[in-house]
Amino acid sequence: MENGSKKWGFRGNQSLGTASAITIRGVLNMLMENLNKDDPRPAIPLGHGDPSAFPCFRTTHLAEDAISDSLRSAKFNGYAPTVGVLPARRAIAEYLSTDLPQKLSPDDIYLTIGCTQAIEVILTVLARPNANILLPRPGFPFYEARAAFSHLEVRHFELLPEKGWEVDLEAVEALADENTVAIAVINPGNPCGNVFTYEHLKKIAETARKLGILVIADEVYDHLVFGNNPFVPMGVFGSIAPIITVGSISKRWIVPGWRLGWLVTNDPNGILEKHGIVDCIKGFLNISSDPATFIQGAIPQILSKTKEDFFSKIVNILKEAAEICYDGIKDIPCITCPSKPEGSMFVMVKLNVSLLEDITDDVDFCVKLAKEESVIVLPGVAVGLKNWLRVTFAIEPSSLADGLGRIKAFSERHAKKE
C-alpha cells in the first residue's frame, strides 16, 4: 500500500517468526487446535509443565498469604531497582546458600520475570559476533529460540538415554572451539526426568574449565527429585568453573503464573566480573522489564515460612504419578521408556512408528491422538528428538491413568495387522 508517492517503511521482524516456531507453546497450541470439539470427554494435558490447575498441586496457603501481606503493606507499589528489591535478593541468597559450600551475597542475585527471562538475559549477554553455545539434545527449546533471535550459534551435544541421559562429554569437547562461550545443563532434567549425580556434574564443571567456558545451570526444577540421586546444585562447583544458575519459584511452589525467577552468579574466583559478564547482566536489566514489585516483596516470607511438609507432599505426588506413568507406558507396545523418571515432571519415551499403520512420525502421532482421544502429548521433535514423545506426569493421578489408557487404545487401533 502506498502513502502518496512513498511506500510504508516498516515491516515485521521475520526473525521473530523463525524463533517462535520452535517453542513448546507453539507446538502445544497447534495440537490444541486439533482437539475434537464434539468429544464429550475432558481433554487430558500430558504435554504441559504447569500442574497448577489441579487441586492436588495447589500452592501452599503460606505463599498466598505472603502475596496478600505484600500487597496490603503498601510498601511494594512502586518501581523496583532493576536488579530486584534487596530483601528478596537477600532471601534468595540465603535460600540457595543452604546447599552450597560458599555463602552467596545479595549482589550475586538478579531477579527476573520467571526463569525464561533469566535465560534471555544470559544468552543475550553472551551473544557476541561468531560466538556459539553448547545446548543439550533433547532439551528445552526456548534456548534455541532465544539463541536464534540473538544470532548466537547453537551446537548440540547428545544426552545419552542408555546412560540415564548423561551428557556425552567427549562430544562436548569435540564440539567446542575458540568461539564457544557456554554449555547449558538442565538438572533435574527437562524433558528427560533424569537427575545428574554429583560425580557427573563435577565432570561437566571440569570440562567447562578445560574449555574455558561458563556453565548455565538451569535448576528451575530444583529439589523436585524422587529417585536414587539427590539434587545437587551446580553452584557447588563454582570454584572449578564459573556457574550462572537460573531458577524460579514456578515449579517447586507450583506458581508459574507469578513470574518470579532469578539469575545467580556462582563464581567465588570473580571470573565473570573480570570478563564483563556482571556489568552486561546489569546493563540488560536496565533496559528490560522487572517482575511485579509486590511479588518480589513476598519472596522473603515465601522462602522462609513454607513448611517442609508442603514440599514433601508435592514430591510424593510426583513420585506416585511417575510410577503410574512408567508402569502404564509398559503396556503400550509402540512406546518404550529407557529409564524411570527420577525428577522434574516429565519423561521421554521412544515411539516405534514401524509398529503403527498410517502414522508417519511423532508429530502425526500427536495430532491424531489429539483428534481421536483428546489427549495432548508433546512430540519429541519439539525438544530435539524425532520419533520420541515427552510425557508429563504432573497431573491428577486418575487423569494420568485415563490419559495413558486412551494412548493405549489409540495405539492398538492404529497397530499394524499381522
Side-chain angles (χ1 to χ4, degrees), residues 108-126:
D108 299 318
I109 312 296
Y110 305 87
L111 299 192
T112 58
I113 305 172
C115 188
T116 51
Q117 192 192 31
I119 296 169
E120 179 184 351
V121 171
I122 190 57
L123 264 59
T124 305
V125 164
L126 294 172

Side-chain angles (χ1 to χ4, degrees), residues 367-403:
V367 168
K368 289 174 178 173
L369 178 66
K371 286 179 178 177
E372 297 178 26
E373 295 291 345
S374 296
V375 175
I376 302 293
V377 169
L378 189 73
V381 70
V383 294
L385 278 190
K386 186 177 177 63
N387 289 336
W388 287 69
L389 308 169
R390 189 192 77 169
V391 181
T392 304
F393 49 81
I395 70 169
E396 294 274 6
S398 59
S399 297
L400 176 59
D402 184 11

Side-chain angles (χ1 to χ4, degrees), residues 86-102:
L86 179 58
R89 290 187 291 124
R90 183 183 293 119
I92 292 167
E94 291 174 358
Y95 166 71
L96 296 176
S97 292
T98 58
D99 297 318
L100 298 173
Q102 73 281 351

Side-chain angles (χ1 to χ4, degrees), residues 316-329:
N316 287 336
I317 293 171
L318 289 173
K319 182 177 182 179
E320 177 192 354
E323 294 278 357
I324 292 170
C325 187
Y326 185 69
D327 291 341
I329 287 167

Side-chain angles (χ1 to χ4, degrees), residues 89 92-93 96-97 100 102-111 118 121-122 125 214-217 234-239 241-247 262-274 276-282 285:
R89 290 187 291 124
I92 292 167
L96 296 176
S97 292
L100 298 173
Q102 73 281 351
K103 188 173 177 60
L104 293 168
S105 159
D107 292 336
D108 299 318
I109 312 296
Y110 305 87
L111 299 192
V121 171
I122 190 57
V125 164
L214 64 82
V215 179
I216 301 171
M234 195 73 197
V236 167
F237 308 105
S239 60
I243 311 294
I244 295 286
T245 299
V246 296
W262 50 75
L263 182 152
V264 181
T265 54
N266 290 280
D267 183 31
N269 299 319
I271 297 168
L272 298 173
E273 179 79 47
K274 292 172 188 172
I277 298 299
V278 171
D279 285 341
C280 285
I281 291 170
K282 293 176 182 177
L285 293 174

Side-chain angles (χ1 to χ4, degrees), residues 52 61 112 170 178 187 228 289 305 312 324 365 372 375:
S52 61
H61 67 87
T112 58
E170 289 184 7
E178 68 277 6
N187 182 55
N228 295 324
S289 300
K305 292 194 175 182
S312 298
I324 292 170
F365 181 95
E372 297 178 26
V375 175

Side-chain angles (χ1 to χ4, degrees), residues 58-336:
R58 180 170 177 170
T59 194
T60 170
H61 67 87
L62 293 168
E64 296 168 344
D65 290 345
I67 297 292
S68 177
D69 291 346
S70 177
L71 272 173
R72 291 198 173 103
S73 74
K75 295 178 181 178
F76 302 103
N77 293 335
Y79 295 121
T82 55
V83 295
V85 300
L86 179 58
R89 290 187 291 124
R90 183 183 293 119
I92 292 167
E94 291 174 358
Y95 166 71
L96 296 176
S97 292
T98 58
D99 297 318
L100 298 173
Q102 73 281 351
K103 188 173 177 60
L104 293 168
S105 159
D107 292 336
D108 299 318
I109 312 296
Y110 305 87
L111 299 192
T112 58
I113 305 172
C115 188
T116 51
Q117 192 192 31
I119 296 169
E120 179 184 351
V121 171
I122 190 57
L123 264 59
T124 305
V125 164
L126 294 172
R128 56 175 171 75
N130 301 316
N132 67 75
I133 187 170
L134 308 180
L135 299 181
R137 185 166 51 205
F140 181 51
F142 186 79
Y143 283 92
E144 282 83 354
R146 278 308 316 181
F149 190 65
S150 298
H151 306 291
L152 181 61
E153 179 192 347
V154 170
R155 298 182 180 182
H156 287 106
F157 59 88
E158 305 299 326
L159 301 181
L160 305 173
E162 68 276 12
K163 293 186 176 181
W165 299 103
E166 285 190 346
V167 174
D168 185 345
L169 290 173
E170 289 184 7
V172 165
E173 292 198 36
L175 284 169
D177 62 17
E178 68 277 6
N179 291 317
T180 304
V181 293
I183 178 172
V185 178
I186 305 173
N187 182 55
N190 174 15
C192 302
N194 59 301
V195 179
F196 291 135
T197 64
Y198 178 99
E199 293 76 18
H200 189 60
L201 290 169
K202 185 177 181 182
K203 288 178 181 177
I204 293 171
E206 290 169 343
T207 301
R209 180 184 180 90
K210 180 179 178 181
L211 298 174
I213 63 178
L214 64 82
V215 179
I216 301 171
D218 187 327
E219 296 176 356
V220 73
Y221 291 96
D222 66 337
H223 297 285
L224 295 182
V225 297
F226 35 83
N228 295 324
N229 297 332
F231 168 68
V232 177
M234 195 73 197
V236 167
F237 308 105
S239 60
I240 297 175
I243 311 294
I244 295 286
T245 299
V246 296
S248 77
I249 61 171
S250 297
K251 307 301 182 178
R252 197 179 189 200
W253 274 266
I254 321 292
V255 287
W258 291 8
R259 312 310 299 139
L260 193 290
W262 50 75
L263 182 152
V264 181
T265 54
N266 290 280
D267 183 31
N269 299 319
I271 297 168
L272 298 173
E273 179 79 47
K274 292 172 188 172
H275 287 76
I277 298 299
V278 171
D279 285 341
C280 285
I281 291 170
K282 293 176 182 177
F284 182 96
L285 293 174
N286 281 338
I287 59 170
S288 65
S289 300
D290 315 319
T293 310
F294 72 90
I295 302 288
Q296 297 186 42
I299 286 297
Q301 195 172 324
I302 291 172
L303 297 186
S304 65
K305 292 194 175 182
T306 300
K307 300 188 184 321
E308 188 58 39
D309 60 355
F310 167 74
F311 297 133
S312 298
K313 182 195 80 168
I314 296 299
V315 168
N316 287 336
I317 293 171
L318 289 173
K319 182 177 182 179
E320 177 192 354
E323 294 278 357
I324 292 170
C325 187
Y326 185 69
D327 291 341
I329 287 167
K330 291 178 184 176
D331 293 333
I332 305 173
C334 65
I335 298 174
T336 54

